[in-house]
Amino acid sequence: MIQASNFFVTLREDGDPKEVASELARRGLWSSPRRNRDGQTTLAVEARSAVVNPRELETIPGVASVFTAGFDCMLLEKQPKIVAVGDQFIGEAPTVVAGPCSVESKEQIADIAGELAGGGVRFLRGGAFKPRTSPHSFHGHGVKGLEWMREAADTYGMQVVTECLSEEDADAVSALADVMQVGSRSMSSQALLNRVGRCGKPVLLKRGMASTIKEWLLCGERLLMAGASAVVFCERGIRSFDPWTRNVLDLGAVAMLSHGFGLLVMADPSHGAGRRDLVLPLAYASTVAGATGVMVEVHNDPGKAVSDGPQALTPREAIVLNQRLQDGFAVAAG
Ligand code: PEP
Ligand code: MN
């Protein structure tokens, strides 16, 4: 599958440009004709057209060839649609990954894990190595935080999702996490992607806040090439001009990855919106758009969170979210 703006459809001598153009339009592709120097007609497929398999277009009568000036995502294309993580599966029932922005203490992560697991949430998140915009902010408890989170997850039968911030920490994170997260600020670090990929684990790849979908996909491809067992994409919002939300959660990208490319994609409405009042509506909207799950930040005392308190849900809210998704919200929503 490829985004339509990446290719050109060349016609046979006897091909009728109008007929081929209308066949393309039937498939959601807008095109404009160009006459080559050698007299051949080419239809340039315009940006914002649908996502299609270019090989299928070669069967349209009058089409000679389809030229894709595209990119190679053959490893992503071959990736299984369901990923096993411990006794859980991503890509089946909606996945809810929940937990604090930062692992703050052994008690905090154990309390939150206990509450979430009691309500049926099976994936625990939490930052032990924290990327922070200001160098003066809290950067996490490191390996100690990872150990607290592992213990909490094992106590309550949960899977751990946590960020690997640097190549140096990759082995420690790999040893204690079930899914290694690559964060928005690190998405385009090729050295980190190669190193994380080499650990051979499933990776949750967050979208760079100013990265195109194509760049994001190619980073996923790189992880698989380096040895990651699977890549799950995570849309977490892109930069915009409006300060009322922290980012703009790009549900178009979620739909494109899910429906257009058939990839596993989750959404993180916590960082997407930056405000807890918008997290639940955006979480539901994400699953309707095609997300296989959501990652949400949760704190047992959001007012006292050391990072990202304004966007943290309570454990109870995350449990209700999980319940509604398991009950088929995405299907039931009109
Ligand atoms: C996070 O999920 O902990 C995080 C820092 O998110 P992002 O990389 O999307 O900013
Ligand atoms: Mn956060």
Side-chain angles (χ1 to χ4, degrees):
M1 296 296 227
I2 198 151
Q3 191 175 0
S5 54
N6 289 325
F7 64 82
F8 300 90
V9 176
T10 301
L11 305 194
R12 288 182 205 287
E13 258 177 50
D14 60 351
D16 179 340
K18 282 212 178 102
E19 274 174 25
V20 175
S22 76
E23 279 297 319
L24 293 175
R26 265 193 343 105
R27 293 164 169 80
L29 307 175
W30 280 260
S31 60
S32 46
R34 291 178 195 169
R35 207 141 172 88
N36 300 344
R37 246 190 280 215
D38 58 8
Q40 255 185 335
T41 301
T42 292
L43 296 172
V45 178
E46 290 170 14
R48 293 183 292 283
S49 289
V51 175
V52 294
N53 180 350
R55 299 285 78 83
E56 195 229 316
L57 303 179
E58 285 171 349
T59 63
I60 297 174
V63 171
S65 62
V66 178
F67 167 70
T68 60
F71 53 99
D72 245 337
C73 278
M74 56 219 197
L75 300 177
L76 283 175
E77 276 174 21
K78 279 194 250 144
Q79 171 167 250
K81 306 283 176 243
I82 296 179
V83 174
V85 182
D87 62 355
Q88 297 297 308
F89 295 94
I90 298 178
E92 271 192 347
T95 303
V96 172
V97 181
C101 179
S102 302
V103 177
E104 297 173 13
S105 67
K106 191 172 156 87
E107 296 67 36
Q108 176 238 24
I109 192 70
D111 283 356
I112 294 175
E115 280 204 66
L116 290 171
V121 176
R122 303 260 67 101
F123 286 83
L124 181 65
R125 65 145 285 145
F129 296 94
K130 291 299 305 170
R132 302 303 300 280
T133 304
S134 165
H136 302 292
S137 301
F138 173 64
H139 280 72
H141 285 294
V143 174
K144 205 164 43 151
L146 280 179
E147 287 168 351
W148 295 334
M149 187 162 39
R150 181 73 265 165
E151 195 180 322
D154 288 345
T155 305
Y156 296 106
M158 301 176 88
Q159 309 300 321
V160 166
V161 181
T162 194
E163 178 161 353
C164 179
L165 192 55
S166 84
E167 294 162 61
E168 283 160 42
D169 307 325
D171 288 332
V173 175
S174 169
L176 292 164
D178 299 295
V179 176
M180 295 174 79
Q181 178 174 322
V182 173
S184 184
R185 290 159 192 78
S186 313
M187 184 206 89
S188 42
S189 164
Q190 299 189 353
L192 182 67
L193 295 174
N194 287 333
R195 184 67 185 84
V196 167
R198 276 215 303 280
C199 295
K201 302 213 102 154
V203 178
L204 185 75
L205 178 62
K206 300 194 94 176
R207 180 180 182 182
M209 59 190 83
S211 300
T212 64
I213 295 172
K214 179 176 167 183
E215 287 163 346
W216 189 23
L217 291 178
L218 287 171
C219 289
E221 182 79 359
R222 179 178 296 279
L223 279 166
L224 290 176
M225 195 177 241
S229 62
V231 172
V232 178
F233 291 87
C234 182
E235 165 60 41
R236 50 78 71 203
I238 50 176
R239 278 241 162 117
S240 168
F241 49 83
D242 194 332
W244 282 20
T245 52
R246 185 171 175 181
N247 291 289
V248 172
L249 192 70
D250 183 359
L251 296 186
V254 170
M256 185 175 284
L257 262 59
S258 170
H259 298 292
F261 290 90
L263 294 169
L264 289 173
V265 56
M266 298 185 56
D268 168 357
S270 305
H271 292 91
R275 345 175 353 156
R276 80 170 60 94
D277 58 339
L278 302 183
V279 170
L280 292 175
L282 284 174
Y284 296 125
S286 305
T287 59
V288 174
T292 185
V294 291
M295 172 185 260
V296 289
E297 288 191 341
V298 168
H299 201 282
N300 44 4
D301 191 354
K304 296 215 177 106
V306 301
S307 57
D308 286 349
Q311 67 196 32
L313 299 178
T314 61
R316 174 103 324 255
E317 287 169 316
I319 288 167
V320 171
L321 166 68
N322 183 52
Q323 200 52 58
R324 288 197 72 191
L325 293 183
Q326 304 313 324
D327 290 347
F329 176 90
V331 179

